[in-house]
Amino acid sequence: MPDMERSDVRGRSDESPARTEERNGVRDELEGRLVRSGVVLSGSESDDQIISLANAVEAFETSRAAAGGDSMVNTPESSQPDDPHYVLPRRRDDESVEAYVNRVRDAADSI
């Protein structure tokens, strides 16, 4: 996963326009992947939370693939998934990022 930290190797703030543009591009890419996977974002997630979400979803998708689950059939939008365990859990409206990440990781572990 690309680094989205806001400081250089010496711990100083790196707010150069190029660095900011790169960080924003990475964030946009990760948010796009999450939305395509069916994750609901509020828009208030921090960079670190977006990375945590992306890592949890990636772990879930890796577990599903290793178990032979089809990523095209077992989606949150699917009316008849092969196996409900292969469907990424939906994020509840009132669910914090941390709680959702934990739930997704638990779901990945249970596959």
Side-chain angles (χ1 to χ4, degrees):
M1 196 71 40
D3 177 25
M4 289 177 49
E5 290 297 317
R6 295 176 192 254
S7 61
D8 68 11
V9 293
R10 293 184 266 333
R12 294 184 310 214
S13 179
D14 179 10
E15 293 300 324
S16 70
R19 180 71 172 142
T20 300
E21 184 177 332
E22 178 185 5
R23 186 175 45 255
N24 290 340
V26 170
R27 182 183 175 104
D28 289 346
E29 179 182 337
L30 293 176
E31 286 179 344
R33 286 184 199 171
L34 290 167
V35 169
R36 284 189 299 278
S37 293
V39 176
V40 175
L41 301 175
S42 68
S44 65
E45 293 85 2
S46 70
D47 289 352
D48 288 339
Q49 288 174 322
I50 292 294
I51 291 170
S52 293
L53 285 164
N55 288 338
V57 169
E58 184 176 339
F60 179 87
E61 291 174 347
T62 299
S63 293
R64 177 177 56 206
D70 184 339
S71 63
M72 300 303 283
V73 175
N74 298 296
T75 67
E77 294 79 27
S78 180
S79 61
Q80 294 184 324
D82 289 337
D83 185 332
H85 292 97
Y86 293 158
V87 178
L88 182 69
R90 288 193 183 272
R91 183 176 175 194
R92 294 186 215 71
D93 291 338
D94 62 343
E95 191 169 27
S96 71
V97 170
E98 292 75 16
Y100 181 64
V101 164
N102 288 333
R103 210 159 49 86
V104 170
R105 290 199 177 277
D106 289 345
D109 291 343
S110 72
I111 293 179

